[in-house]
Amino acid sequence: MNKGDVIELKIEDMTEDGKGIGKFNSLAIFVSNAVIGDFVKAEIIKLKKRYAIARLIEVLKPSSDRINPSCEYFGICGGCSLLNLRYEKQVELKRNTVKEKLARLAGITGPVVREVIAAEQPTGYRNKARYSIGSNGEVGFYKRKSSEVIDCKTCQLQNEASIKVANCIRGLIKEGIINYKKGEASSLRAFTVKACKGSGEVMLILEIIGKELDNAEEIVYAIEDSLIDSAGYKLKSVALALVSKNGKHSEIDKLKIVAGRDTITDEVTFKDEKSLKFEISPASFYQINTEQMVALYEKAEEYANLRGDEILLDIYCGTGTIGLSMADKAGFVLGIESVKDAILNANRNASINGIVNAIYYHGKAEDCLDKAIEKLEQILNKDVSNIPKVAIIDPPRAGADEKLLEILAKIKPDRIVYISCDAGTLARDIKYLELNGYDFIEATPVEMFPNTMSIESVSLLSLSQR
């Protein structure tokens, strides 16, 4: 086989970024815009020893699961990768991904992976969106594997408030009210919209070069007006995120509120009719799919199997949402998070919900879990070493720090509930825990990110009786 060859092949699987995978003479071929079940004609554009990259020329026989994508930007924008695949097949594919990685990377024979908790609303589900500004004033998302911004006037994944704000900002750029020129002082490089469906409260975070935003008052009023007809959404907070240089991955130097409140508040109702309020600050993490967040936490609570006397260790706790959702079932909740603003939100969230059996500790869990437990002993005025413990960990995509896993293995909570958005790092960490005193029981994928290849999963590990 040579670069430039045209081949025909059956697509048998898909990658995490939505490429089709087929085999040709035992060589793995990755084909963009092809879906599982397609029979395609493709041109080899890159050839390696173990695989090749191919450009789709023609779908000779479409998969029975292929559908027409409902977005004009599909295949250009780097967002949705599965919008051309029937949703039921997406769910099946993701479950198989979790099973395969647990078997291959964690070494678990026949891992028990329950049916995916599918989303009732596979579109319009995101409560948070970050839009970038292009060199010509485009407002949208990056082209796949590129720094080019696609001007997206709509998006299948975003909610109504997010799209209205983005279109308003696009208009303000065209009118010259917002400066977007790369590198210039007060220029807008990106912005984030957080919209709470339960309360209708919206936060706008404007990322700018410099220290101030020109025409700030006019911009805020225009965005407020754009939300008037948006199903009850109202702008409640505007923050500036100050960056010292422009670039796709430039870090934020400082955050400051320029209009409205420091936080917005979401209201979430669970199936047992328990209702909680969660405050969200500009820098704090909050699950992007509120409806599926409820399903995720209810499955985590089922796996935690709390009896009322345990200490619940809520690690990588963010704004405290997971632990607070089941605080009424636990003896005490001890949360740990490295983002200071999130810890402030977590303690505030406990207070506004009248939850008195939860405290939150700021720091990296791998560095301060022991100190946090000592702090809890001081609060309770007793030794907690013999009190039963359950740990819930919800790390970022990179997975848990090995030092943290080592500490957990020494503390020996009866159960560990591991929430993960990356099946590969999940499998790696489960393998470590299985080698250090725990048994993997089962996992349940939860569809947090429809029409993309991402999948959240909740796994249960139990202290080994061997």
Side-chain angles (χ1 to χ4, degrees), residues 17-19 75-81 142-146 148:
D17 62 352
K19 291 186 180 69
I76 305 171
C77 170
C80 307
S81 55
Y142 287 114
K143 186 176 181 179
R144 191 177 300 280
K145 294 186 177 179
S146 169
E148 179 184 347

Side-chain angles (χ1 to χ4, degrees), residues 39-53:
F39 187 70
V40 304
K41 179 187 288 186
E43 178 190 4
I44 303 298
I45 59 174
K46 185 181 291 186
L47 187 62
K48 299 290 184 180
K49 286 185 178 181
R50 297 184 178 182
Y51 69 93
I53 306 294

Side-chain angles (χ1 to χ4, degrees), residues 7-307:
I7 61 174
E8 296 180 1
L9 73 162
K10 178 74 175 288
I11 303 300
E12 299 173 347
D13 203 349
M14 296 185 73
T15 66
E16 291 187 9
D17 62 352
K19 291 186 180 69
I21 307 173
K23 287 286 185 69
F24 190 85
N25 293 337
S26 299
L27 189 70
I29 313 292
F30 299 92
V31 186
S32 295
N33 300 321
V35 304
I36 189 167
D38 280 347
F39 187 70
V40 304
K41 179 187 288 186
E43 178 190 4
I44 303 298
I45 59 174
K46 185 181 291 186
L47 187 62
K48 299 290 184 180
K49 286 185 178 181
R50 297 184 178 182
Y51 69 93
I53 306 294
R55 176 181 66 86
L56 179 67
I57 296 175
E58 182 184 357
V59 179
L60 300 173
K61 184 178 179 182
S63 166
S64 59
D65 295 307
R66 174 181 276 276
I67 59 175
N68 290 324
S70 54
C71 178
E72 61 182 295
Y73 309 108
F74 179 77
I76 305 171
C77 170
C80 307
S81 55
L82 295 181
L83 205 58
N84 58 346
L85 187 67
R86 188 171 58 90
Y87 181 59
E88 291 76 11
K89 189 65 177 180
Q90 293 182 31
V91 169
E92 177 189 325
L93 189 64
K94 293 181 186 186
R95 178 173 179 249
N96 289 340
T97 296
V98 175
K99 289 182 69 174
E100 186 272 332
K101 290 196 173 180
L102 286 173
R104 180 169 57 87
L105 301 179
I108 301 170
T109 302
V112 177
V113 178
R114 302 296 181 187
E115 293 297 323
V116 177
I117 299 176
E120 293 184 7
Q121 297 293 333
T123 59
Y125 58 83
R126 288 190 67 98
N127 57 39
K128 174 186 174 182
R130 182 179 184 273
Y131 293 84
S132 295
I133 310 298
S135 58
N136 295 309
E138 300 92 343
V139 175
F141 308 104
Y142 287 114
K143 186 176 181 179
R144 191 177 300 280
K145 294 186 177 179
S146 169
S147 294
E148 179 184 347
V149 176
I150 305 301
D151 197 39
C152 299
K153 296 180 178 64
T154 187
C155 176
Q156 296 292 307
L157 304 190
Q158 312 306 331
N159 63 34
E160 179 188 7
S162 172
I163 294 169
K164 283 184 177 290
V165 170
N167 287 335
C168 178
I169 288 178
R170 182 182 291 105
L172 293 171
I173 287 174
K174 289 181 178 179
E175 293 172 27
I177 296 170
I178 291 179
N179 176 22
Y180 67 90
K181 297 297 184 181
K182 184 176 180 180
E184 291 186 7
S186 298
S187 62
L188 184 68
R189 63 182 290 275
F191 62 93
T192 297
V193 183
K194 296 185 178 185
C196 300
K197 187 174 181 180
S199 65
E201 296 189 358
V202 175
M203 173 181 283
L204 174 63
I205 306 163
L206 300 164
E207 296 180 30
I208 67 165
I209 305 296
K211 297 181 179 180
E212 300 295 337
L213 178 67
D214 293 339
N215 306 316
E217 186 174 352
E218 185 176 358
I219 291 166
V220 170
Y221 284 139
I223 292 169
E224 279 186 318
D225 290 344
S226 74
L227 292 172
I228 288 174
D229 298 322
S230 59
Y233 286 106
K234 293 182 180 180
L235 187 64
K236 292 293 184 180
S237 177
V238 180
L240 290 187
L242 309 180
V243 295
S244 56
K245 62 179 181 177
N246 202 12
K248 187 173 181 179
H249 301 295
S250 297
E251 291 188 3
I252 293 170
D253 297 324
K254 184 179 178 181
L255 275 164
K256 66 176 184 178
I257 302 297
V258 294
R261 304 200 308 258
D262 292 351
T263 62
I264 54 175
T265 303
D266 200 6
E267 299 177 8
V268 180
T269 301
F270 294 82
K271 288 181 181 177
D272 60 4
E273 298 188 0
K274 173 174 56 185
S275 182
L276 295 175
K277 294 181 178 181
F278 298 124
E279 282 191 351
I280 306 160
S281 63
S284 59
F285 172 78
Y286 189 66
Q287 292 285 354
I288 60 94
N289 187 330
T290 310
E291 286 80 6
Q292 290 299 95
M293 177 182 76
V294 171
L296 179 74
Y297 292 178
E298 287 175 344
K299 178 55 68 171
E301 182 178 311
E302 176 190 324
Y303 280 170
N305 191 26
L306 300 169
R307 300 183 300 273

Side-chain angles (χ1 to χ4, degrees), residues 322-358:
I322 301 175
L324 294 176
S325 73
M326 55 186 85
D328 58 333
K329 307 291 196 307
F332 210 92
V333 178
L334 174 61
I336 303 174
E337 168 61 49
S338 62
V339 178
K340 189 172 183 179
D341 282 354
I343 283 295
L344 294 174
N345 291 154
N347 280 307
R348 174 66 180 154
N349 287 335
S351 177
I352 63 178
N353 287 290
I355 296 171
V356 297
N357 63 330

Side-chain angles (χ1 to χ4, degrees), residues 304-313 329-334 373 376 380 382-391 411-415 438 463:
N305 191 26
L306 300 169
R307 300 183 300 273
D309 58 344
E310 303 94 341
I311 293 173
L312 178 63
L313 302 173
K329 307 291 196 307
F332 210 92
V333 178
L334 174 61
I373 291 175
L376 179 60
L380 298 179
K382 63 179 176 181
D383 179 13
V384 301
S385 58
N386 293 321
I387 296 177
K389 299 173 185 67
V390 174
I411 293 173
K412 296 183 178 179
D414 294 335
R415 291 171 295 286
Y438 283 85
L463 191 62

Side-chain angles (χ1 to χ4, degrees), residues 438-451:
Y438 283 85
D439 295 326
F440 170 79
I441 305 302
E442 66 177 53
T444 300
V446 182
E447 176 65 297
M448 301 290 286
F449 317 100
N451 295 306

